[in-house]
């Protein structure tokens, strides 16, 4: 009787998820005599016991498809909304795993999924993960699949915005996904030739951005493109929120908890920040300004060839590690190798853009303003 291995996709969907599911499933059946069981809608499906066998027919024709054939959700095992309440459903998931006689569980996801998978591993389940997210912010891996596709979409959007910004002599602010990290905005900004790039890791000064735009005008360049990550924050906002939280925090609250509260307050209004920035720049530069929010377009559609290859290589390596019983790892990209990394070295850690990253230096050398 072949071993049964469950697989789920959790968190924001990402191009390349189906390519990864296909690679895991095909190599498991063709090479290792195991069966892959699809679990619907992330951890919710594990709790609700919604399982389907992924036979060869289900795995055919999905390599190029965007999204995930399994469905996804942002539900967490230990904080699951159930019947109007938020409950810890971890034990129910462990029960369903055992009831279905699974020998292991593969979780495909970003930072949140890695944490949740690690929690299940600590409960005794055999867990393996793959790093997927357009944000490219999973710790201990060079890359996540989905990033390249989103990068291509955002870059193409900046290319297209150039001609209209140029024709109307406007400032166009293009908001790119990434509410905590700036890999996508930085990458697309550089690839698309943006004039200003703003990322969450570097709090910006509106006056400095305005001066960069005005300098371009003095040089005869009558339009500017500002690529801004959705979580980029102005120094003023950061300082005001930080001072407010600190002055109202009880004395015994640790720095970590204060940091969390500041982040939560910043997150609360990150959806309106680009609009506020636009108004400020229009008044500082007296130039007509428009905002384009790329939003979920960046996660849609077919994966690039690069993401298909990455997801496939991670998937086949995952099947090999599962067959070897090397549980408790995420399969990471290290140079051209796919290697298992212990989940405790991934869970709860975010891979921010280092502020001295070569691409940041390169952008600055080109004269791109980072608003600092
Ligand atoms: O986690 C990936 C991501 O696309 C982020 O870049 C973005 O901030 C977030 O998901 C959007 O989440 P949702 O799809 O739940 O609105």
């Amino acid at each position: 009787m072949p071993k049964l291995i469950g697989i789920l996709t959790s968190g924001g969907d990402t191009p390349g998820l189906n390519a990864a599911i296909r690679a895991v499933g095909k190599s498991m059946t063709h090479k290792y005599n195991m069966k892959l069981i699809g679990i619907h809608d992330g951890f919710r499906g594990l709790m609700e016991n919604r399982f389907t066998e992924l036979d060869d027919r289900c795995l055919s024709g999905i390599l190029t498809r965007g999204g995930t054939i399994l469905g996804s959700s942002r539900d967490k095992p230990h904080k699951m909304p159930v019947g109007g309440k938020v409950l810890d459903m971890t034990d129910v998931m462990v029960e369903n795993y055992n009831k279905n006689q699974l020998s292991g569980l593969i979780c495909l996801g970003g930072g949140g999924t890695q944490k949740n998978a690690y929690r299940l591993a600590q409960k005794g389940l055999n867990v393996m993960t793959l790093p997927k997210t357009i944000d490219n912010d999973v710790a201990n891996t060079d890359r996540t699949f989905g990033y390249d596709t989103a990068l291509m979409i955002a870059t193409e959007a900046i290319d297209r915005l150039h001609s209209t910004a140029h024709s109307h002599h406007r400032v166009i602010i293009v908001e790119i996904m990434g509410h905590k990290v700036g890999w996508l905005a930085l990458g697309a900004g550089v690839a698309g030739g943006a004039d200003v790039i703003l990322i969450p890791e570097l709090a910006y000064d509106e006056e400095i951005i305005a001066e960069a735009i005005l300098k371009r005008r003095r040089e005869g360049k009558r339009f500017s493109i500002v690529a801004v990550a959705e979580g980029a924050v102005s120094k003023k906002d950061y300082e005001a929120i930080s001072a407010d939280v600190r002055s109202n925090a009880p004395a015994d609250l640790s720095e970590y908890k204060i940091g969390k509260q500041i982040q939560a307050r910043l997150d609360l209004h990150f959806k309106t920040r680009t609009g506020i920035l636009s108004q400020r720049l229009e008044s500082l530069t007296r130039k007509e300004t428009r905002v384009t929010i790329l939003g979920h377009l960046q996660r849609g559609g077919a994966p690039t060839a690069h993401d298909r290859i990455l997801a496939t290589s991670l998937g086949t390596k995952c099947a090999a590690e599962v067959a070897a019983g090397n549980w408790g790892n995420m399969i990471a990209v290290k140079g051209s190798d796919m290697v298992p990394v212990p989940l405790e070295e991934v869970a709860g850690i975010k891979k921010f853009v280092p502020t001295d990253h070569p691409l940041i230096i390169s952008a600055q050398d080109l004269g791109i303003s980072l608003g600092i």
Side-chain angles (χ1 to χ4, degrees), residues 37-193:
I37 308 294
I39 299 165
H40 296 278
D41 303 331
F43 294 103
R44 180 160 291 274
L46 184 55
M47 174 191 79
E48 292 173 352
N49 204 17
R50 289 189 282 120
F51 293 44
T52 315
E53 188 189 327
L54 294 175
D55 58 18
D56 208 48
R57 205 171 36 90
C58 303
L59 299 172
S60 280
I62 63 169
L63 172 65
T64 60
R65 268 171 68 183
T68 159
I69 56 165
L70 293 175
S72 191
S73 71
R74 291 199 182 275
D75 291 310
K76 305 177 179 80
H78 63 299
K79 278 188 192 165
M80 183 74 70
V82 186
K85 291 190 183 140
V86 178
L87 302 174
D88 183 347
M89 299 304 280
T90 314
D91 290 343
V92 176
M93 293 184 197
V94 173
E95 215 175 285
N96 285 339
Y97 171 99
N98 290 325
K99 210 157 61 189
N100 287 281
Q101 299 182 318
L102 295 184
S103 298
L105 175 69
I106 301 170
C107 304
L108 276 46
T113 305
Q114 305 299 331
K115 259 201 273 186
N116 292 324
Y118 184 48
R119 279 193 189 100
L120 292 177
Q122 286 173 311
K123 285 275 180 178
L125 302 196
N126 288 333
V127 177
M128 190 82 79
T129 68
L130 293 185
K132 74 96 187 87
T133 163
I134 65 163
D135 293 342
N136 193 35
D137 61 349
V138 175
N140 250 312
T141 180
D142 296 352
R143 270 293 163 99
T144 58
F145 63 87
Y147 173 70
D148 186 68
T149 308
L151 183 63
M152 189 206 70
I153 297 169
T155 301
E156 193 193 330
I158 297 178
D159 291 348
R160 287 176 186 278
L161 290 171
H162 263 94
S163 57
T164 175
H166 180 266
S167 307
H168 287 268
H169 318 305
R170 283 174 172 156
V171 174
I172 295 198
I173 301 175
V174 50
E175 186 187 282
I176 293 170
M177 273 189 169
H179 67 295
K180 298 252 166 45
V181 300
W183 291 108
L184 195 53
L186 178 64
V190 170

Side-chain angles (χ1 to χ4, degrees), residues 70-328:
L70 293 175
S72 191
S73 71
R74 291 199 182 275
D75 291 310
K76 305 177 179 80
H78 63 299
K79 278 188 192 165
M80 183 74 70
V82 186
K85 291 190 183 140
V86 178
L87 302 174
D88 183 347
M89 299 304 280
T90 314
D91 290 343
V92 176
M93 293 184 197
V94 173
E95 215 175 285
N96 285 339
Y97 171 99
N98 290 325
K99 210 157 61 189
N100 287 281
Q101 299 182 318
L102 295 184
S103 298
L105 175 69
I106 301 170
C107 304
L108 276 46
T113 305
Q114 305 299 331
K115 259 201 273 186
N116 292 324
Y118 184 48
R119 279 193 189 100
L120 292 177
Q122 286 173 311
K123 285 275 180 178
L125 302 196
N126 288 333
V127 177
M128 190 82 79
T129 68
L130 293 185
K132 74 96 187 87
T133 163
I134 65 163
D135 293 342
N136 193 35
D137 61 349
V138 175
N140 250 312
T141 180
D142 296 352
R143 270 293 163 99
T144 58
F145 63 87
Y147 173 70
D148 186 68
T149 308
L151 183 63
M152 189 206 70
I153 297 169
T155 301
E156 193 193 330
I158 297 178
D159 291 348
R160 287 176 186 278
L161 290 171
H162 263 94
S163 57
T164 175
H166 180 266
S167 307
H168 287 268
H169 318 305
R170 283 174 172 156
V171 174
I172 295 198
I173 301 175
V174 50
E175 186 187 282
I176 293 170
M177 273 189 169
H179 67 295
K180 298 252 166 45
V181 300
W183 291 108
L184 195 53
L186 178 64
V190 170
D195 308 298
V196 178
I197 300 174
L198 307 175
I199 60 172
E201 291 86 345
L202 295 167
Y204 60 79
D205 182 328
E206 288 149 352
E207 314 260 347
I208 292 176
I209 305 170
E211 179 44 35
I213 294 169
L214 293 173
K215 179 170 174 280
R216 278 177 54 78
R217 184 159 65 188
R218 289 195 295 276
E219 290 165 356
K221 295 163 189 159
R222 298 173 67 197
F223 73 95
S224 289
I225 303 282
V226 180
V228 52
E230 53 185 353
V233 60
S234 74
K235 269 192 191 136
K236 272 188 210 143
D237 273 354
Y238 183 80
E239 278 157 16
I241 287 177
S242 172
D244 188 36
V245 169
R246 280 172 205 285
S247 65
N248 289 310
D252 59 351
L253 213 61
S254 70
E255 260 311 299
Y256 172 75
K257 284 189 181 150
I258 289 178
K260 280 261 191 206
Q261 289 199 359
I262 295 171
Q263 189 57 54
R265 287 272 302 279
L266 289 169
D267 282 352
L268 208 64
H269 75 228
F270 88 80
K271 295 231 172 335
T272 58
R273 257 183 244 153
T274 308
I276 295 168
L277 173 67
S278 157
Q279 284 164 14
R280 283 284 292 146
L281 291 185
E282 191 153 300
S283 80
L284 285 168
T285 63
R286 295 183 191 284
K287 283 190 74 75
E288 218 181 358
T289 302
R290 292 287 186 272
V291 174
T292 299
I293 297 177
L294 298 183
H296 292 83
L297 265 180
Q298 294 160 102
R299 297 209 316 237
T304 57
H306 178 91
D307 272 336
R308 292 178 204 181
I309 293 169
L310 188 58
T312 300
S313 311
L314 285 166
T316 51
K317 177 68 175 171
C318 175
E321 294 297 329
V322 165
N326 195 9
W327 297 106

